[in-house]
Amino acid sequence: MNMNHLLTINKSGINGLQKKLDITAANIANVNTVGYKKNDTTFTELLHNANTPDEVRIANAATNQSVNRGVAVSNQSVNFIQGSLSSTTSSWDMAIDGEGFFGVRDANNQLYLTRAGNFQRDAQGYLRTNEGLQVEVEETIPQNQWPNGDASVSANGVIIIQSNGQSVTVGRVILYKPENNENLRSVGNNLYQAVDGQELIQSTNQQEAFGRTHNYQLENANVNLADSMTDLIVSQRAYSINLKALETSDEMSSVINRFTE
């Protein structure tokens, strides 16, 4: 093992820990974001190189006579575990207790999935997200003809509006889910899409496969702030140690180069 190998190991550790720091910081920053799903990281060892007695002294009893080339982030994944539910004062706030995602569409009719149910009706009466995406609803009455009033949403997503002393069934919130959440990719802003070729299941066809829908509630981020702060501190310290090791390795390399001049 030469000095270049040491520098490579230190560099890989710094790069991997920087990635973990960025992800942990993003989780902490979104601790109050409705429906946010934290990101997890896992590391893997890089290629192992065998050592020889000419490079380093090895004990006769040593069984592992190799040194890896460092570490790398092997996987960054979204943790879809459900967050806690909290009560609100808006009848258009919704949460899913169990499996499934709300479907929302942009101006190009592109479908996205989200667990963030902080919805409201726009000036034309359409149910939308804070970002203006239209919520997928199986309409009984066109949304721009829905009466004004407080809504109640049943466990299977049926929307009933109380207006002028009458209960009017106006539609049903459609939920979606993939066969496996690993088939979803994050596109930012708390939105997800199915990877190419993956079909989505709809609650209109298989209601039993989905959780219960509640209004006057929102799902909190599934970030544990205490755990994330601990991860951040540990990663920062490990980063500092790797940075110091890199500086030391560089100094040792400079000394060796001077001796060989």
Side-chain angles (χ1 to χ4, degrees):
M1 180 175 64
N2 56 39
M3 292 304 300
N4 286 335
H5 290 167
L6 286 177
L7 293 171
T8 300
I9 292 171
N10 296 146
K11 180 182 177 182
S12 71
I14 290 172
N15 289 340
L17 288 166
Q18 181 63 63
K19 184 70 172 178
K20 183 172 178 60
L21 283 169
D22 292 342
I23 292 171
T24 305
N27 288 338
I28 292 173
N30 284 283
V31 68
N32 293 319
T33 301
V34 174
Y36 178 78
K37 299 304 175 187
K38 67 178 181 178
N39 286 281
D40 293 331
T41 53
T42 54
F43 290 87
T44 186
E45 291 183 344
L46 299 179
L47 180 67
H48 276 254
N49 286 334
N51 289 318
T52 67
D54 294 334
E55 294 178 308
V56 63
R57 298 184 64 179
I58 302 173
N60 293 332
T63 57
N64 184 3
Q65 300 182 10
S66 65
V67 175
N68 66 53
R69 297 297 296 269
V71 297
V73 175
S74 62
N75 186 42
Q76 177 184 339
S77 59
V78 180
N79 186 328
F80 284 104
I81 188 171
Q82 181 177 319
S84 61
L85 304 185
S86 59
S87 298
T88 73
T89 58
S90 173
S91 64
W92 297 110
D93 285 338
M94 301 182 198
I96 305 168
D97 186 7
E99 297 288 327
F101 296 82
F102 298 109
V104 295
R105 292 186 183 273
D106 62 14
N108 297 318
N109 204 37
Q110 184 68 49
L111 176 67
Y112 299 94
L113 307 184
T114 184
R115 291 282 295 195
N118 44 338
F119 306 138
Q120 60 274 320
R121 295 179 67 191
D122 64 13
Q124 288 73 42
Y126 292 96
L127 192 61
R128 297 188 181 274
T129 67
N130 284 342
E131 293 74 29
L133 302 181
Q134 187 168 336
V135 181
E136 281 283 275
V137 176
E138 184 181 43
E139 298 175 342
T140 303
I141 298 174
Q143 291 187 49
N144 58 2
Q145 298 178 22
W146 288 5
N148 294 321
D150 290 334
S152 62
V153 181
S154 69
N156 62 354
V158 175
I159 304 172
I160 299 174
I161 296 179
Q162 306 296 327
S163 178
N164 298 322
Q166 294 184 330
S167 298
V168 183
T169 300
V170 296
R172 177 184 177 188
V173 177
I174 303 174
L175 302 184
Y176 295 85
K177 62 177 288 189
E179 290 289 347
N180 190 314
N181 285 340
E182 292 181 358
N183 294 329
L184 295 179
R185 61 183 177 89
S186 174
V187 295
N189 294 325
N190 242 354
L191 301 174
Y192 305 92
Q193 281 189 314
V195 297
D196 294 340
Q198 298 296 323
E199 294 186 359
L200 297 173
I201 304 169
Q202 295 186 30
S203 59
T204 51
N205 300 324
Q206 299 184 37
Q207 182 62 51
E208 67 280 358
F210 293 83
R212 298 166 61 88
T213 305
H214 303 276
N215 68 326
Y216 288 105
Q217 290 191 331
L218 291 174
E219 181 180 355
N220 298 316
N222 65 353
V223 178
N224 184 306
L225 185 57
D227 289 347
S228 295
M229 290 300 297
T230 300
D231 286 344
L232 186 66
I233 293 170
V234 171
S235 298
Q236 285 175 331
R237 290 179 177 175
Y239 183 92
S240 298
I241 292 171
N242 272 268
L243 190 60
K244 183 62 178 177
L246 180 61
E247 293 173 352
T248 302
S249 298
D250 187 53
E251 291 172 1
M252 292 172 60
S253 180
S254 297
V255 171
I256 292 172
N257 289 335
R258 285 200 299 271
F259 283 152
T260 57
E261 289 177 354

